[in-house]
Amino acid sequence: MFTTPSVFDRRDAPRRFDLALAKESPPVSSKNGADQEAEYRAQTRLWLRLLACTTLIEGELRRRFREEFDFTMPRFDVLAQLDREPSGLVLGELPKRLMVSAGNLTPIVDRLVEDGYITRTPSTLDRRVQIVCMTVEGRKAFRRMAKSHGSWLAELLAEFPADKLNGLIGELDELKSVVKDSLEKP
């Protein structure tokens, strides 16, 4: 026997993808159509603003790394993770921390090893496991780059008022938490 789901069941149900409209169908809401559309537009504008800010800042940082250090952001990001782990890190952990695939990370690690910034050695407990560590020279280079990275960000954000910056950080922390919670729902 077929029964119609209650409003609560529909709200908790996964969203459907409407191929005819090429957009995700929203869950049932108590808001009227105009209010719901306005909310969707606001959420889209938020996403686009976050993306625009990230793209602008990342593009400038990439340019400066390339020009001043002949280095890439992905290589810097690997060193940043290793800087937090003085005794090294299992190679398989790096893709998780950097949110990239192992296949994308392999050539970056290979190049960092080749250039003397990091070492890659088999684990003494399991020879199949690789441990990556920053070399002394790698750590010195990273610290120079990290100092520049910090000053570049400070320069790019200097005109944004400090009190607004702290408030925005708090709001973005809250947004991140909401998004993570949303992704963890069944």
Side-chain angles (χ1 to χ4, degrees):
M1 179 173 123
F2 178 79
T3 58
T4 325
S6 73
V7 171
F8 294 106
D9 293 334
R10 283 180 280 167
R11 192 176 317 138
D12 295 334
R15 294 178 178 197
R16 297 177 317 275
F17 195 82
D18 186 342
L19 293 176
L21 298 175
K23 67 180 186 180
E24 194 175 297
S25 299
V28 174
S29 172
S30 61
K31 296 180 182 179
N32 70 34
D35 288 344
Q36 192 66 53
E37 284 299 315
E39 187 175 313
Y40 291 157
R41 281 194 301 277
Q43 292 163 343
T44 300
R45 282 195 321 272
L46 170 64
W47 163 242
L48 291 173
R49 294 305 185 287
L50 290 170
L51 186 59
C53 289
T54 300
T55 301
L56 288 168
I57 293 169
E58 185 177 8
E60 181 61 14
L61 293 176
R62 284 178 184 277
R63 183 189 68 75
R64 290 184 186 197
F65 270 112
R66 189 175 49 254
E67 289 178 3
E68 294 189 29
F69 296 106
D70 191 26
F71 217 73
T72 65
M73 284 280 295
R75 292 172 72 199
F76 176 80
D77 291 341
V78 169
L79 293 182
Q81 289 300 317
L82 293 175
D83 188 57
R84 295 184 180 112
E85 304 290 342
S87 60
L89 195 59
V90 172
L91 183 57
E93 180 66 21
L94 270 174
K96 295 174 195 166
R97 290 188 181 196
L98 295 169
M99 295 184 283
V100 298
S101 72
N104 285 340
L105 192 60
T106 299
I108 295 167
V109 169
D110 290 345
R111 177 76 188 270
L112 288 168
V113 169
E114 188 178 301
D115 291 346
Y117 291 104
I118 66 174
T119 61
R120 179 177 43 205
T121 55
S123 167
T124 56
L125 302 174
D126 184 347
R127 308 278 302 160
R128 297 170 295 177
V129 175
Q130 300 284 310
I131 307 294
V132 286
C133 294
M134 212 176 331
T135 63
V136 172
E137 287 305 313
R139 195 167 305 281
K140 286 179 187 175
F142 171 74
R143 296 282 162 86
R144 283 192 307 275
M145 288 184 275
K147 186 175 181 179
S148 292
H149 179 267
S151 66
W152 298 335
L153 284 172
E155 179 185 327
L156 290 170
L157 301 174
E159 298 300 315
F160 197 78
D163 60 326
K164 284 188 176 183
L165 184 65
N166 291 330
L168 184 58
I169 290 168
E171 289 183 20
L172 289 173
D173 283 343
E174 187 177 338
L175 177 63
K176 179 181 174 184
S177 178
V178 167
V179 171
K180 283 177 79 173
D181 289 349
S182 175
L183 293 172
E184 291 171 0
K185 288 182 181 175

CSV table of all heavy atoms in Angstrom, one decimal, residues 27-52:
chain,number,residue,atom,x,y,z
A,27,PRO,N,14.0,21.0,-0.6
A,27,PRO,CA,13.1,20.2,0.3
A,27,PRO,C,11.8,21.1,0.5
A,27,PRO,O,11.8,22.3,0.3
A,27,PRO,CB,13.9,20.1,1.5
A,27,PRO,CG,14.9,21.2,1.5
A,27,PRO,CD,15.2,21.4,0.0
A,28,VAL,N,10.8,20.5,1.0
A,28,VAL,CA,9.6,21.2,1.2
A,28,VAL,C,9.8,22.2,2.3
A,28,VAL,O,10.5,21.9,3.3
A,28,VAL,CB,8.5,20.2,1.7
A,28,VAL,CG1,7.2,20.9,2.1
A,28,VAL,CG2,8.2,19.2,0.5
A,29,SER,N,9.3,23.4,2.1
A,29,SER,CA,9.5,24.5,3.1
A,29,SER,C,8.2,25.2,3.4
A,29,SER,O,7.2,25.2,2.6
A,29,SER,CB,10.5,25.5,2.5
A,29,SER,OG,10.6,26.6,3.3
A,30,SER,N,8.1,25.8,4.6
A,30,SER,CA,6.9,26.5,5.0
A,30,SER,C,6.9,27.9,4.4
A,30,SER,O,5.9,28.6,4.5
A,30,SER,CB,6.8,26.6,6.5
A,30,SER,OG,8.0,27.3,7.0
A,31,LYS,N,8.0,28.3,3.7
A,31,LYS,CA,8.0,29.7,3.1
A,31,LYS,C,7.3,29.7,1.8
A,31,LYS,O,7.2,28.7,1.1
A,31,LYS,CB,9.5,30.1,2.9
A,31,LYS,CG,10.3,30.2,4.1
A,31,LYS,CD,11.7,30.6,3.8
A,31,LYS,CE,12.5,30.6,5.2
A,31,LYS,NZ,13.8,31.0,5.0
A,32,ASN,N,6.7,30.8,1.5
A,32,ASN,CA,6.0,30.9,0.2
A,32,ASN,C,7.0,31.0,-0.9
A,32,ASN,O,8.2,31.2,-0.7
A,32,ASN,CB,5.0,32.1,0.2
A,32,ASN,CG,5.8,33.5,0.2
A,32,ASN,OD1,6.8,33.6,-0.4
A,32,ASN,ND2,5.2,34.5,0.8
A,33,GLY,N,6.6,30.9,-2.1
A,33,GLY,CA,7.5,30.8,-3.3
A,33,GLY,C,8.4,31.9,-3.4
A,33,GLY,O,9.6,31.8,-3.7
A,34,ALA,N,7.9,33.2,-3.2
A,34,ALA,CA,8.8,34.3,-3.4
A,34,ALA,C,9.9,34.4,-2.3
A,34,ALA,O,11.0,34.7,-2.6
A,34,ALA,CB,7.9,35.6,-3.3
A,35,ASP,N,9.5,34.1,-1.1
A,35,ASP,CA,10.5,34.1,0.0
A,35,ASP,C,11.5,33.0,-0.2
A,35,ASP,O,12.7,33.2,0.0
A,35,ASP,CB,9.8,33.8,1.4
A,35,ASP,CG,9.0,35.0,1.8
A,35,ASP,OD1,9.1,36.1,1.3
A,35,ASP,OD2,8.1,34.8,2.7
A,36,GLN,N,11.1,31.9,-0.7
A,36,GLN,CA,12.0,30.7,-0.9
A,36,GLN,C,13.0,31.1,-2.1
A,36,GLN,O,14.2,30.9,-1.9
A,36,GLN,CB,11.2,29.5,-1.3
A,36,GLN,CG,12.1,28.2,-1.3
A,36,GLN,CD,12.6,27.9,0.1
A,36,GLN,OE1,11.8,27.8,1.1
A,36,GLN,NE2,13.9,27.8,0.3
A,37,GLU,N,12.5,31.7,-3.1
A,37,GLU,CA,13.3,32.1,-4.2
A,37,GLU,C,14.3,33.1,-3.8
A,37,GLU,O,15.5,33.1,-4.2
A,37,GLU,CB,12.5,32.6,-5.4
A,37,GLU,CG,11.8,31.5,-6.2
A,37,GLU,CD,12.8,30.6,-6.9
A,37,GLU,OE1,13.8,31.0,-7.4
A,37,GLU,OE2,12.5,29.3,-6.8
A,38,ALA,N,13.9,34.1,-3.0
A,38,ALA,CA,14.8,35.1,-2.5
A,38,ALA,C,15.9,34.5,-1.6
A,38,ALA,O,17.1,34.9,-1.7
A,38,ALA,CB,14.1,36.2,-1.7
A,39,GLU,N,15.6,33.5,-0.8
A,39,GLU,CA,16.6,32.8,0.0
A,39,GLU,C,17.5,32.0,-0.9
A,39,GLU,O,18.7,32.1,-0.6
A,39,GLU,CB,15.9,31.8,1.0
A,39,GLU,CG,16.8,31.2,1.9
A,39,GLU,CD,16.1,30.3,3.0
A,39,GLU,OE1,15.1,30.8,3.6
A,39,GLU,OE2,16.6,29.2,3.2
A,40,TYR,N,17.1,31.4,-1.9
A,40,TYR,CA,18.0,30.7,-2.8
A,40,TYR,C,18.9,31.6,-3.5
A,40,TYR,O,20.1,31.3,-3.7
A,40,TYR,CB,17.2,29.9,-3.9
A,40,TYR,CG,16.4,28.7,-3.3
A,40,TYR,CD1,15.3,28.2,-4.0
A,40,TYR,CD2,16.8,28.1,-2.1
A,40,TYR,CE1,14.6,27.1,-3.5
A,40,TYR,CE2,16.1,27.0,-1.6
A,40,TYR,CZ,15.0,26.5,-2.3
A,40,TYR,OH,14.3,25.5,-1.8
A,41,ARG,N,18.4,32.8,-4.0
A,41,ARG,CA,19.2,33.8,-4.6
A,41,ARG,C,20.3,34.3,-3.6
A,41,ARG,O,21.5,34.4,-4.0
A,41,ARG,CB,18.4,34.9,-5.1
A,41,ARG,CG,17.7,34.6,-6.5
A,41,ARG,CD,17.2,35.9,-7.1
A,41,ARG,NE,16.2,36.6,-6.3
A,41,ARG,CZ,14.9,36.4,-6.2
A,41,ARG,NH1,14.4,35.4,-6.9
A,41,ARG,NH2,14.2,37.1,-5.5
A,42,ALA,N,19.9,34.5,-2.4
A,42,ALA,CA,20.9,35.0,-1.4
A,42,ALA,C,22.0,33.9,-1.2
A,42,ALA,O,23.2,34.2,-1.0
A,42,ALA,CB,20.2,35.3,-0.1
A,43,GLN,N,21.6,32.6,-1.1
A,43,GLN,CA,22.5,31.6,-0.9
A,43,GLN,C,23.5,31.5,-2.1
A,43,GLN,O,24.7,31.3,-1.9
A,43,GLN,CB,21.8,30.2,-0.6
A,43,GLN,CG,21.1,30.2,0.7
A,43,GLN,CD,20.0,29.1,0.8
A,43,GLN,OE1,19.6,28.6,-0.2
A,43,GLN,NE2,19.6,28.9,2.0
A,44,THR,N,23.0,31.6,-3.3
A,44,THR,CA,23.8,31.6,-4.5
A,44,THR,C,24.8,32.8,-4.5
A,44,THR,O,25.9,32.6,-4.8
A,44,THR,CB,22.9,31.6,-5.7
A,44,THR,OG1,22.1,30.5,-5.7
A,44,THR,CG2,23.7,31.6,-7.0
A,45,ARG,N,24.3,34.0,-4.1
A,45,ARG,CA,25.1,35.2,-4.1
A,45,ARG,C,26.3,34.9,-3.1
A,45,ARG,O,27.4,35.3,-3.3
A,45,ARG,CB,24.3,36.4,-3.7
A,45,ARG,CG,23.6,37.0,-4.9
A,45,ARG,CD,23.1,38.4,-4.7
A,45,ARG,NE,22.6,38.7,-3.4
A,45,ARG,CZ,21.3,38.5,-3.0
A,45,ARG,NH1,20.4,38.0,-3.8
A,45,ARG,NH2,21.0,38.8,-1.7
A,46,LEU,N,25.9,34.4,-1.9
A,46,LEU,CA,27.0,34.1,-0.9
A,46,LEU,C,28.0,33.2,-1.5
A,46,LEU,O,29.2,33.4,-1.4
A,46,LEU,CB,26.3,33.4,0.3
A,46,LEU,CG,27.3,32.9,1.4
A,46,LEU,CD1,28.2,34.0,2.0
A,46,LEU,CD2,26.6,32.1,2.4
A,47,TRP,N,27.6,32.1,-2.1
A,47,TRP,CA,28.5,31.1,-2.7
A,47,TRP,C,29.4,31.8,-3.7
A,47,TRP,O,30.6,31.6,-3.7
A,47,TRP,CB,27.8,30.0,-3.3
A,47,TRP,CG,28.6,29.2,-4.3
A,47,TRP,CD1,28.4,29.0,-5.6
A,47,TRP,CD2,29.8,28.4,-4.0
A,47,TRP,NE1,29.4,28.2,-6.2
A,47,TRP,CE2,30.3,27.8,-5.2
A,47,TRP,CE3,30.6,28.2,-2.9
A,47,TRP,CZ2,31.4,27.1,-5.3
A,47,TRP,CZ3,31.7,27.5,-2.9
A,47,TRP,CH2,32.1,26.9,-4.2
A,48,LEU,N,28.8,32.6,-4.6
A,48,LEU,CA,29.6,33.3,-5.6
A,48,LEU,C,30.6,34.3,-5.0
A,48,LEU,O,31.7,34.5,-5.5
A,48,LEU,CB,28.7,34.0,-6.6
A,48,LEU,CG,27.9,33.0,-7.5
A,48,LEU,CD1,26.8,33.8,-8.3
A,48,LEU,CD2,28.8,32.2,-8.4
A,49,ARG,N,30.2,35.0,-4.0
A,49,ARG,CA,31.1,36.0,-3.3
A,49,ARG,C,32.3,35.2,-2.7
A,49,ARG,O,33.4,35.7,-2.8
A,49,ARG,CB,30.4,36.8,-2.2
A,49,ARG,CG,29.3,37.7,-2.7
A,49,ARG,CD,29.8,38.7,-3.7
A,49,ARG,NE,28.8,39.7,-4.0
A,49,ARG,CZ,27.7,39.5,-4.7
A,49,ARG,NH1,27.4,38.3,-5.2
A,49,ARG,NH2,26.8,40.4,-5.0
A,50,LEU,N,32.0,34.1,-2.0
A,50,LEU,CA,33.1,33.3,-1.4
A,50,LEU,C,34.0,32.8,-2.5
A,50,LEU,O,35.3,32.9,-2.3
A,50,LEU,CB,32.5,32.1,-0.6
A,50,LEU,CG,31.7,32.4,0.7
A,50,LEU,CD1,31.0,31.2,1.2
A,50,LEU,CD2,32.7,33.0,1.7
A,51,LEU,N,33.5,32.3,-3.6
A,51,LEU,CA,34.3,31.8,-4.7
A,51,LEU,C,35.1,32.9,-5.3
A,51,LEU,O,36.3,32.8,-5.6
A,51,LEU,CB,33.4,31.2,-5.7
A,51,LEU,CG,34.1,30.5,-6.9
A,51,LEU,CD1,35.0,29.4,-6.4
A,51,LEU,CD2,33.0,29.9,-7.8
A,52,ALA,N,34.5,34.1,-5.5
A,52,ALA,CA,35.2,35.3,-6.1
A,52,ALA,C,36.4,35.7,-5.2
A,52,ALA,O,37.5,35.9,-5.7
A,52,ALA,CB,34.3,36.4,-6.3
